Amino acid sequence: MATNIELNEPLLSQAMRLGDMKTKKEAVNQALSEYVQRREQIEILDFFGKVDLDPDFDYKRQRKVQ
């Protein structure tokens, strides 16, 4: 989808340099991906204190290869 937007060029240049990206499109797509990932992580925080844990659950047993 083609979209025309005005970008902060110094910020975009810095992002491209830090991410070793060759195109503006690559930089914007990476930024959007990281933004979505971060927002999804923040939503997970809402579950803290709301999930009942089983004190008898042996997580180490789950790690063993069957």
Side-chain angles (χ1 to χ4, degrees):
M1 162 179 39
T3 303
N4 292 323
I5 57 174
E6 214 173 293
L7 298 172
N8 179 322
E9 288 294 329
L11 190 59
L12 181 59
S13 294
Q14 184 178 9
M16 289 175 67
R17 181 177 47 79
L18 289 171
D20 194 31
M21 294 170 235
K22 306 282 187 261
T23 66
K24 292 178 181 180
K25 180 179 179 178
E26 187 180 1
V28 170
N29 285 331
Q30 180 65 34
L32 288 170
S33 176
E34 290 180 15
Y35 177 82
V36 168
Q37 183 180 19
R38 178 68 180 134
R39 290 296 175 166
E40 288 175 343
Q41 289 172 348
I42 289 171
E43 287 179 7
I44 290 172
L45 294 176
D46 290 338
F47 287 108
F48 282 109
K50 296 179 182 175
V51 177
D52 293 329
L53 301 178
D54 181 0
D56 297 325
F57 179 71
D58 184 5
Y59 66 92
K60 291 183 180 180
R61 188 178 74 199
Q62 297 292 326
R63 292 181 184 172
K64 293 181 182 175
V65 180
Q66 304 276 334

